[in-house]
Amino acid sequence: QVQLVESGGGLVQAGGSLRLSCAASGGTFSNYAMGWFRQAPGKEREFVAAISWTGGTTIYEDSVKDRFTISRDNAKNAVYLQMNSLKPEDTAVYYCATARRWGLGVARMRESYGYWGQGTQVTVSS
């Protein structure tokens, strides 16, 4: 069983940056494509970004493209989300997850992911 622990969230002003980290243990990390999702109060959990096993393919939700960058370090069993030019609407709990299936169409779907972390809060003030 894979355990995922997110970190790096916090309070930041609009226009600022944060780097989220997700540390994995209990499995072979390089076997999994990975994703980041977020959930704002009263809203559904939504896709943010995903990355393939080797990091060669990345997928982004349109509203974060050109502002967020997903990356991974298989030697450290970690995936990252660099978030720049943050906006108040980016405020949410951010979750990382392991993908059970991969493809340009399915990577955005919550049901494509198996193991989830507990999340880290990101708050962007205006």
Side-chain angles (χ1 to χ4, degrees):
Q1 186 166 348
V2 176
Q3 292 82 43
L4 302 172
V5 179
E6 301 94 338
S7 61
L11 174 64
V12 64
Q13 289 189 330
S17 298
L18 284 173
R19 187 190 192 215
L20 304 185
S21 298
C22 171
S25 61
T28 304
F29 180 70
S30 58
N31 285 351
Y32 295 97
M34 298 292 295
W36 284 97
F37 285 70
R38 65 187 180 186
Q39 187 166 16
K43 295 189 177 181
E44 295 289 319
R45 191 172 298 189
E46 65 175 5
F47 172 77
V48 175
I51 189 166
S52 61
W53 302 265
T54 63
T57 301
T58 56
I59 303 169
Y60 295 94
E61 195 269 330
D62 287 346
S63 70
V64 308
K65 194 177 295 185
D66 300 327
R67 298 189 299 123
F68 290 10
T69 302
I70 188 171
S71 62
R72 67 187 296 159
D73 186 336
N74 287 344
K76 295 183 178 179
N77 290 349
V79 62
Y80 308 100
L81 187 68
Q82 177 67 43
M83 306 187 296
N84 298 329
S85 302
L86 282 161
K87 303 176 181 180
E89 51 263 45
D90 295 318
T91 295
V93 178
Y94 284 70
Y95 301 89
C96 66
T98 59
R100 295 187 291 193
R101 53 182 182 172
W102 178 255
L104 293 181
V106 300
R108 301 172 183 271
M109 300 168 63
R110 183 177 172 179
E111 54 265 35
S112 295
Y113 295 82
Y115 297 109
W116 294 81
Q118 293 301 305
T120 185
Q121 175 71 48
V122 171
T123 303
V124 184
S125 63
S126 57

